[in-house]
Amino acid sequence: MDALTLLLTRRSMSHLTTPAPEGQSLDNILAAGMRAPDHGALRPWHFVVIQNEGLYKFGQLLEKAAINANLGKGVEEKAKKAPLRAPLIIAVIAKIVVDAKIPAWEQVVTAGCCVHAMQMAAVAQGFDGIWRTGSWTTDPVVRSGLACQEHDKIVGFLYLGTPKFNLPIKGTAQDIKDFVTYY
């Protein structure tokens, strides 16, 4: 698949199964993340690869967070099972360099670019995924469980695997007129 087709047909896929990227495929995904635009060459990111038994451990962490937040039994159970929706998750953390001349918001955007690059690298190799965020990204229990420091920001969880089925591509190139102003 050429790069332009990849970018123009990008979509999120939440219905994932095995196999997950592994070996060279996973290395390619992580390396693509490392190629994100990075003002100041700070490399303000850290990737936590969650797979195999780690998915259950991560589920226990999310369940603990739900219990701590007193969200109720239903949410606790859903949180525990959430990581099992894909055979591989990459948590992406913006490791904010506080005293840098590069503002924190740029460092967070850079880490976000890592997620996008990794998702595209997965798709280019025949896998698929979805970038999930939500309240877990700011939850103190989850942040602690992923060894976040005070200024770190979890920018998301990239769920990856093999698509269970093909979904149609939403939208067309004609949609751009509603989002673009030429100055």
Side-chain angles (χ1 to χ4, degrees), residues 112-126:
C113 289
C114 292
V115 181
H116 184 259
M118 289 191 288
Q119 186 177 11
M120 295 304 87
V123 172
Q125 298 177 101

Side-chain angles (χ1 to χ4, degrees), residues 158-179:
L158 183 58
Y159 283 58
L160 295 173
T162 299
K164 287 184 180 178
F165 49 84
N166 282 331
L167 290 176
I169 304 302
K170 295 178 184 177
T172 66
Q174 295 171 349
D175 295 337
I176 65 171
K177 69 179 176 8
D178 297 329
F179 299 95

Side-chain angles (χ1 to χ4, degrees), residues 37-44 97 100-103 106-107 110:
D38 179 17
H39 185 187
L42 296 177
R43 293 186 163 190
V97 181
K101 70 177 184 176
I102 312 307
E106 277 193 53
Q107 297 177 55
T110 290

Side-chain angles (χ1 to χ4, degrees), residues 13-18 84-85 128 161-166:
M13 170 59 80
S14 60
H15 303 283
L16 302 165
T17 189
T18 57
L84 303 178
R85 295 183 283 190
D128 221 320
T162 299
K164 287 184 180 178
F165 49 84
N166 282 331

Side-chain angles (χ1 to χ4, degrees), residues 50-110:
I50 304 166
Q51 58 189 346
N52 304 318
E53 289 303 312
L55 294 168
Y56 296 97
K57 184 177 172 184
F58 188 52
Q60 291 170 342
L61 179 65
L62 296 181
E63 178 185 36
K64 180 180 174 184
I67 291 168
N68 188 62
N70 199 27
L71 298 176
K73 288 288 185 196
V75 175
E76 292 167 16
E77 191 61 31
K78 186 176 178 183
K80 183 178 178 181
K81 293 178 181 177
L84 303 178
R85 295 183 283 190
L88 174 73
I89 300 170
I90 303 173
V92 179
I93 302 166
K95 305 293 284 181
I96 305 302
V97 181
V98 177
D99 295 328
K101 70 177 184 176
I102 312 307
W105 72 265
E106 277 193 53
Q107 297 177 55
V108 172
V109 169
T110 290

